[in-house]
Amino acid sequence: MATASISNSPSKWVVLPHYAFAAGAFLVLSILLLFSTNAFGGHYFHPKLLTLTHVAVLGWATMVIFGALYQLLPVVLDCKLYSEKLAFYTFGLLGVGTILLAYSFWNFSLGLVLHVAACCLLAAFVLFNINVIQTARKAPKWTIEADFIVTSAIWLLLTGFVGLLMAINFTNPFLPQDHVRYLQLHAHMGMAGWFLLLIIGVGSKLIPMFLLAHPEDTRKLNWSYNLINGGLVFFIFDHLFFRSPLTPLYAALVVGGLVLFLLFLHDAKVLGHRKDMDLGMKQTFLALALLIVPIVLVFLVSTDLGLPQQVLSSLYLVYGLSIFLGFISALILGQTFKTLPFIVWMHVYEDHVGRYKTPLPKDLFNTHLLRWQNISYLLGFLLLVVGVLWRVEAVILAGSIAFCLAAILYTINVFHLLVHKAQHLTPFVYGNARA
Amino acid sequence: METPAPDRTQEVYDVLKYIIDPEIGVNIVDLGLVYDVTITDQEIHVEMTLTTPGCPMSNTITMATEQILLRKFPHRQVTVELVWTPAWTPERISAEGLEQL
């Protein structure tokens, strides 16, 4: 008989500040979007678009992922986080780096501030890697989820390194090829290497858990890992040294890996005992459905179809939008209300359970706000995509307003959760609890 | 060592039904998390598990189990042992538990 250990959860001060910063960044992102409607008419290498992208991927997505991961890593790996102190330093460096980077891109001031920002971010990624790898080394059992998470952290570090090289290259050109080629490399390392692998690693553990399913066959996940990493490595080498027309093939490898992950989730859904999905899970499945957009577009933008340059530029913009403001944002909007209420509940009520009648995590946030957040988000995203494709600024503005509303509702709900305190608890009486 | 009265054991299970898994919203007995209960005049021993190893709720649920039993049986010593074998699977959920999902 194996006796279980005590909880491996980190302190709430390691986790919760990430959610607060990320909510603020999401709000800032939506406000910047309102003032950037004129930026979607041309090439993606545009100061405002660079700002929006980096606020979205660093301040919003990476920040919330770091926070959630410090809580989830001990669950996935079944051991304590290596260092809470490292997590604090990482948070500070990521926060400062993101703000400085956003300031630099928005003003297109590509000097010292940008260099400092890139150094802060790279330092944050180095510390994050140390924390993740050292935690994984303590894990009693190595799993495919651990492979995904550790590899994603390494890809994040490489993405940051390429970013730093590009930042230096703005003022001291030394890179042998065109800047946009490195930007494509940087973006895809971040999208497929960091976000996709991380989401699969955490999602393959969490989503079946939420569905009450225990799929034991991990062959699909193993192949998913091989295909995504293989496709990405081939793409990088080809992109740097050969420039062959094989990019769609590498995209197919990555998409194949993604499809295997979706099939794994489908198996979990079939096996799952929980048929009634809450709003957080519905939003999560919406995010997975939205993946169809970048899956189709990656082949359109990587295959030479002879499309007019203007159409190709719009497709590139929608491709980026569908990943950052589509899949990744939709997923975070849904999973925030699966993870954060639970974390807050645990820290507020841990000492009261069994002695007082306590609410459940789902009682700690406003469901009406969440429903309207999900509706306004989807409306905003669809309007943005249509507006960018048709190049109609008024539609882009309408999408930005809806997106702003979603961000306001999200931020209210997140801060409502963060400041939650136990109040008016009634002592446990066997007649008044749910049995 | 006295032989426990069977209705006492049932009483322990009934009390434990007041502890709800915060994520799933079903009590720990109907979820099939409680593997064994031993009760004597001096002590109560509960052997239980969680839905997944590494679950952050391990402290909360074991402490809640201990607290609620101490309130109901104040003159007995309560020990809660968390085990991982046999591993919990959704098949352990009772018919009542499945209805609550």
Side-chain angles (χ1 to χ4, degrees):
Chain A
M1 188 168 67
T3 304
S5 58
I6 55 162
S7 169
N8 294 320
S9 287
S11 149
K12 68 176 179 181
W13 298 112
V14 173
V15 177
L16 298 184
H18 291 82
Y19 280 91
F21 189 102
F26 189 48
L27 195 58
V28 168
L29 169 69
S30 67
I31 293 165
L32 291 177
L33 198 58
L34 282 174
F35 294 97
S36 305
T37 52
N38 60 347
F40 289 93
H43 198 273
Y44 54 82
F45 193 80
H46 183 291
K48 286 182 175 177
L49 295 183
L50 289 173
T51 310
L52 291 173
T53 305
H54 286 87
V55 171
V57 300
L58 295 169
W60 160 233
T62 298
M63 185 60 84
V64 84
I65 285 172
F66 275 16
L69 205 60
Y70 294 137
Q71 182 72 43
L72 298 173
L73 208 54
V75 179
V76 175
L77 300 176
D78 193 14
C79 61
K80 276 192 181 295
L81 184 69
Y82 170 69
S83 168
E84 295 191 4
K85 197 178 277 187
L86 272 184
F88 285 123
Y89 294 141
T90 306
F91 170 75
L93 287 164
L94 178 60
V96 170
T98 302
I99 292 164
L100 294 178
L101 197 74
Y103 169 85
S104 302
F105 281 137
W106 189 258
N107 297 298
F108 215 58
S109 137
L110 307 174
L112 180 66
V113 178
L114 181 68
H115 296 172
V116 171
C119 287
C120 284
L121 291 167
L122 188 63
F125 302 155
V126 168
L127 297 186
F128 177 72
N129 263 267
I130 293 169
N131 223 349
V132 168
I133 291 166
Q134 292 290 74
T135 304
R137 285 182 61 191
K138 295 196 299 177
K141 195 175 77 170
W142 193 266
T143 60
I144 183 64
E145 292 93 346
D147 277 327
F148 272 106
I149 293 168
V150 171
T151 311
S152 75
I154 294 166
W155 278 116
L156 174 67
L157 184 61
L158 292 172
T159 306
F161 179 67
V162 173
L164 175 62
L165 294 183
M166 288 166 67
I168 296 166
N169 196 58
F170 276 127
T171 48
N172 310 83
F174 71 97
L175 293 171
Q177 294 182 32
D178 174 28
H179 201 83
V180 171
R181 289 195 74 77
Y182 296 103
L183 185 62
Q184 289 168 347
L185 203 67
H186 175 67
H188 285 90
M189 283 162 91
M191 287 188 296
W194 163 232
F195 286 116
L196 189 56
L197 288 181
L198 191 280
I199 286 165
I200 293 175
V202 174
S204 57
K205 176 79 178 181
L206 275 194
I207 294 172
M209 208 164 82
F210 290 140
L211 295 170
L212 277 182
H214 273 218
E216 286 175 10
D217 188 350
T218 59
R219 278 176 300 180
K220 288 191 182 81
L221 290 178
N222 291 332
W223 276 105
S224 170
Y225 177 86
N226 295 336
L227 287 173
I228 293 171
N229 281 294
L232 197 51
V233 169
F234 284 136
F235 167 73
I236 289 167
F237 276 94
D238 192 312
H239 201 69
L240 283 175
F241 305 115
F242 305 111
R243 302 196 194 188
S244 79
L246 292 175
T247 306
L249 178 66
Y250 312 138
L253 290 175
V254 174
V255 167
L258 180 56
V259 168
L260 283 171
F261 166 62
L262 294 175
L263 288 172
F264 172 83
L265 290 186
H266 177 263
D267 293 348
K269 186 127 178 29
V270 170
L271 287 171
H273 289 69
R274 212 170 179 180
K275 304 302 174 198
D276 186 26
M277 277 201 289
D278 56 26
L279 285 170
M281 284 311 283
K282 281 178 182 166
Q283 177 72 7
T284 299
F285 279 94
L286 169 74
L288 294 169
L290 286 177
L291 272 170
I292 193 71
V293 183
I295 285 174
V296 170
L297 287 176
V298 74
F299 293 109
L300 286 179
V301 298
S302 64
T303 311
D304 189 5
L305 298 171
L307 294 169
Q309 190 53 49
Q310 205 177 45
V311 173
L312 200 58
S313 290
S314 294
L315 289 179
Y316 263 117
L317 289 172
V318 174
Y319 173 56
L321 268 179
S322 67
I323 292 172
F324 299 130
L325 297 189
F327 170 59
I328 292 171
S329 290
L331 194 65
I332 293 171
L333 288 172
Q335 283 298 302
T336 293
F337 296 99
K338 293 299 292 177
T339 55
L340 186 59
F342 186 84
I343 295 164
V344 169
W345 183 93
M346 204 171 59
H347 289 294
V348 173
Y349 294 104
E350 192 167 40
D351 297 334
H352 303 300
V353 181
R355 294 189 297 138
Y356 297 95
K357 192 167 179 277
T358 59
L360 291 176
K362 65 181 172 64
D363 303 325
L364 306 189
F365 60 92
N366 188 315
T367 312
H368 296 298
L369 286 188
L370 178 57
R371 181 174 288 110
W372 282 107
Q373 168 213 288
N374 289 352
I375 291 167
S376 51
Y377 160 77
L378 185 59
L379 180 67
F381 174 69
L382 293 174
L383 285 170
L384 277 173
V385 167
V386 170
V388 172
L389 273 179
W390 290 353
R391 294 170 173 268
V392 182
E393 213 173 310
V395 178
I396 296 172
L397 181 63
S400 304
I401 292 167
F403 213 85
C404 222
L405 179 63
I408 291 166
L409 296 174
Y410 174 83
T411 306
I412 291 170
N413 235 346
V414 165
F415 278 91
H416 176 70
L417 269 165
L418 291 173
V419 299
H420 180 86
K421 285 184 171 54
Q423 284 174 329
H424 315 304
L425 290 175
T426 51
F428 216 97
V429 179
Y430 295 119
N432 72 351
R434 294 171 45 184
Chain B
M1 186 100 148
E2 292 178 34
T3 311
D7 59 337
R8 281 287 188 208
T9 306
Q10 187 53 51
E11 220 174 327
V12 171
Y13 276 104
D14 288 343
V15 170
L16 293 182
K17 281 194 175 187
Y18 285 100
I19 300 176
I20 311 290
D21 181 295
E23 158 52 27
I24 302 167
V26 176
N27 71 74
I28 62 172
V29 175
D30 283 324
L31 266 181
L33 297 180
V34 181
Y35 283 173
D36 189 45
V37 169
T38 314
I39 181 163
T40 66
D41 284 343
Q42 288 77 39
E43 80 168 311
I44 300 171
H45 179 80
V46 178
E47 194 181 289
M48 64 181 297
T49 191
L50 297 169
T51 53
T52 183
C55 174
M57 294 304 300
S58 54
N59 273 357
T60 312
I61 289 185
T62 52
M63 206 158 62
T65 304
E66 198 175 296
Q67 290 292 335
I68 205 164
L69 290 174
L70 282 171
R71 283 182 76 86
K72 180 72 178 173
F73 305 96
H75 304 301
R76 286 179 172 85
Q77 191 190 341
V78 177
T79 53
V80 179
E81 187 181 7
L82 204 53
V83 298
W84 296 130
T85 50
W88 180 87
T89 64
E91 283 65 38
R92 292 184 174 270
I93 305 173
S94 70
E96 291 86 348
L98 288 171
E99 272 176 37
Q100 293 167 52
L101 284 173

